[in-house]
């Protein structure tokens, strides 16, 4: 059993040991949150994009601030420039990205009746793939978690601001501006149709931009595919069906505050399978932004009035994620190449490391 699977199993066992002990659950949540941050932030030569971001770091070190200001995602490059100006080495870029990601996750987690369960179920897919590999999008997802909290609070200007900020790190986040008409008001068929009509001109603008041209040239007009995208997006589709068939009415009664966000998120989850037909990479990239909402659904199941089936349905997400995780870690050459063995510099930088110069 590898370190990642062991970590996940121990967290799940700890979560079930704390059933009925809310105060202890919250305390353990903060401990687990910090440990997962350290696990992701202080990894050493781990993650599929480690060398890719190192190349960006080296390009910027030769080009300077002027180059950073002319890029499509300027805040990402400015962040790297800031770290370099402070005399910090490349691994600190992972610390910065992980810090923003986990702060964003905490903003959503503290609103959940089960923050520990919410955090645990992010580990097998989102945490390993984003702050431990795709750190630029991981940072954007952290900011989008804060944007989702603003959506729940119906703070339209804050929502727009956080989405725009996320897009300055990863341009794909800009598509969530199309949800702006739904921030205020109830989730009804009329408002959904209105949002769809308003989204058409916005969608045309997005599709005509440079970022869209680059995405289409990279991922649609080529043979580039995302390994495992069908399984991850398929899990989003199953979550969508589960929410609308089993949970939606009970959710509206139990938790009306975030009902609109979760309903819209579940609706988009169901539509992600269409994106995969065009490009598995685009569908997969957008799907990662929906995982925080997906995990909100999973973590809320024990608190909804589901009758005798509540205990089985509550355990199902852990079992399902555990099975997907086990298959991935056991059979994927991609996982073994990128994440095994796990290394860390939390106890000090390895001697003669090229990454600390």
């Amino acid at each position: 059993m590898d370190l990642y699977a062991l970590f996940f199993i121990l967290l799940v066992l700890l979560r079930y040991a704390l059933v009925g002990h809310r105060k202890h659950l919250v305390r353990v949540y903060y401990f687990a949150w910090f440990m997962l941050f350290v696990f992701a932030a202080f990894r050493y030569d781990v993650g599929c994009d480690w060398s890719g971001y190192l190349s960006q770091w080296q390009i910027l070190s030769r080009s300077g601030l002027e180059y950073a200001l002319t890029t499509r995602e300027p805040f990402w490059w400015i962040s790297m420039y800031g770290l370099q100006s402070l005399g910090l080495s490349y691994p600190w870029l992972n610390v910065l990205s992980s810090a923003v990601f986990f702060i964003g996750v905490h903003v959503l987690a503290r609103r959940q009746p089960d923050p520990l369960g919410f955090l645990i179920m992010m580990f097998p897919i989102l945490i390993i793939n984003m702050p431990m590999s795709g750190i630029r999008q991981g940072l954007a997802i952290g900011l989008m978690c804060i944007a989702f909290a603003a959506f729940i609070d119906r703070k339209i200007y804050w929502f727009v601001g956080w989405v725009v900020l996320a897009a300055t790190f990863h341009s794909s986040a800009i598509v969530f501006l199309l949800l702006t008409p739904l921030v205020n008001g109830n989730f009804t068929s009329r408002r959904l149709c209105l949002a769809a009509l308003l989204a058409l001109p916005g969608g045309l603008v997005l599709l005509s931009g440079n970022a869209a041209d680059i995405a289409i040239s990279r991922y649609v007009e080529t043979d580039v595919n995302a390994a495992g995208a069908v399984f991850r997006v398929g899990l989003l589709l199953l979550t969508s069906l589960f929410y609308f068939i089993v949970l939606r009415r009970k959710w509206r009664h139990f938790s009306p505050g975030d009902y609109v966000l979760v309903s819209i998120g579940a609706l988009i989850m169901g539509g992600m399978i269409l994106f995969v037909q065009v490009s598995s990479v685009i569908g997969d990239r957008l799907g990662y932004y929906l995982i925080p909402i997906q995990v909100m659904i999973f973590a809320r199941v024990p608190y909804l009035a589901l009758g005798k089936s509540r205990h089985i349905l509550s355990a199902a997400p852990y079992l399902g994620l555990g099975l997907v995780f086990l298959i991935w870690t056991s059979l994927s050459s991609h996982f073994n190449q990128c994440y095994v063995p796990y290394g860390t510099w939390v106890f000090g930088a390895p001697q003669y490391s090229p990454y600390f110069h």
Side-chain angles (χ1 to χ4, degrees), residues 16 24 38 60 74 90 120-122 150 157 181 187-188 217 233-234 239 244 275 281 287 303 314 353 355:
Y16 272 91
H24 296 305
V38 171
L60 186 62
Y90 167 66
I120 292 170
M121 285 187 277
M122 281 200 168
Y157 295 112
F187 179 67
T188 63
S217 65
V233 174
T239 305
F244 283 110
F275 280 91
V281 177
Y303 300 89
S314 298
S353 168
Y355 307 119

Side-chain angles (χ1 to χ4, degrees), residues 60-306:
L60 186 62
S61 66
R62 296 190 298 266
S63 304
L65 181 60
E66 183 178 352
Y67 179 85
L69 294 174
T70 58
T71 57
R72 288 189 302 113
E73 290 129 342
F75 277 34
W76 170 248
W77 293 87
I78 291 172
S79 298
M80 283 195 288
Y81 178 81
L83 292 175
Q84 292 178 2
S85 298
L86 293 172
L88 298 176
S89 53
Y90 167 66
W92 283 99
L93 183 61
N94 300 317
V95 178
L96 172 65
S97 175
S98 292
V100 176
F101 174 85
F102 280 96
I103 289 171
V105 165
H106 175 65
V107 169
L108 273 185
R110 67 183 181 182
R111 294 166 174 261
Q112 310 307 313
D114 182 5
L116 181 59
F118 176 84
L119 181 66
I120 292 170
M121 285 187 277
M122 281 200 168
F123 178 70
I125 296 178
L126 189 61
I127 291 177
I128 291 182
N129 280 285
M130 289 292 108
M132 292 194 67
S133 185
I135 60 174
R136 185 163 59 91
Q137 187 175 359
L139 192 155
I141 290 172
L143 295 173
M144 280 305 306
C145 285
I146 303 175
F148 290 149
F151 189 106
I152 293 171
D153 294 336
R154 299 187 178 185
K155 296 179 178 179
I156 188 168
Y157 295 112
W158 282 105
F159 172 76
V160 171
W162 286 114
V163 172
V164 171
L165 181 59
T168 65
F169 289 95
H170 202 283
S171 58
S172 59
I174 201 67
V175 299
F176 288 93
L177 279 182
L178 304 180
L179 300 184
T180 303
L182 294 172
V183 174
N184 292 315
N186 296 319
F187 179 67
T188 63
S189 299
R190 182 179 178 181
R191 290 190 66 84
L192 189 61
C193 290
L194 175 61
L197 290 173
L198 292 175
L200 288 176
L204 291 175
V205 171
L206 294 177
L207 289 174
S208 63
N210 291 334
D213 291 339
I214 293 173
I216 291 172
S217 65
R218 284 181 181 176
Y219 307 131
V220 178
E221 297 174 351
T222 67
D223 294 327
V224 175
N225 291 297
V230 173
F231 299 100
R232 287 187 288 269
V233 174
L235 188 58
L236 289 174
L237 175 60
L238 291 176
T239 305
S240 175
L241 294 173
F242 176 58
Y243 174 78
F244 283 110
I245 294 173
V246 179
L247 302 181
R248 186 179 67 85
R249 292 183 179 179
K250 295 177 176 61
W251 195 295
R252 188 169 194 172
H253 173 73
F254 176 80
S255 186
D258 53 19
Y259 170 77
V260 175
L261 175 67
V262 174
S263 296
I264 294 170
L267 189 64
I268 300 173
M269 288 178 208
M272 281 296 102
I273 199 70
L274 300 177
F275 280 91
V276 174
Q277 305 305 313
V278 177
S279 166
S280 64
V281 177
I282 293 177
D284 202 35
R285 287 290 182 182
L286 293 178
Y288 279 117
Y289 289 105
L290 299 172
I291 291 179
I293 300 178
Q294 178 190 43
V295 173
M296 285 176 64
I297 294 173
F298 288 160
R300 195 68 57 86
V301 172
Y303 300 89
L304 300 177
L306 298 173

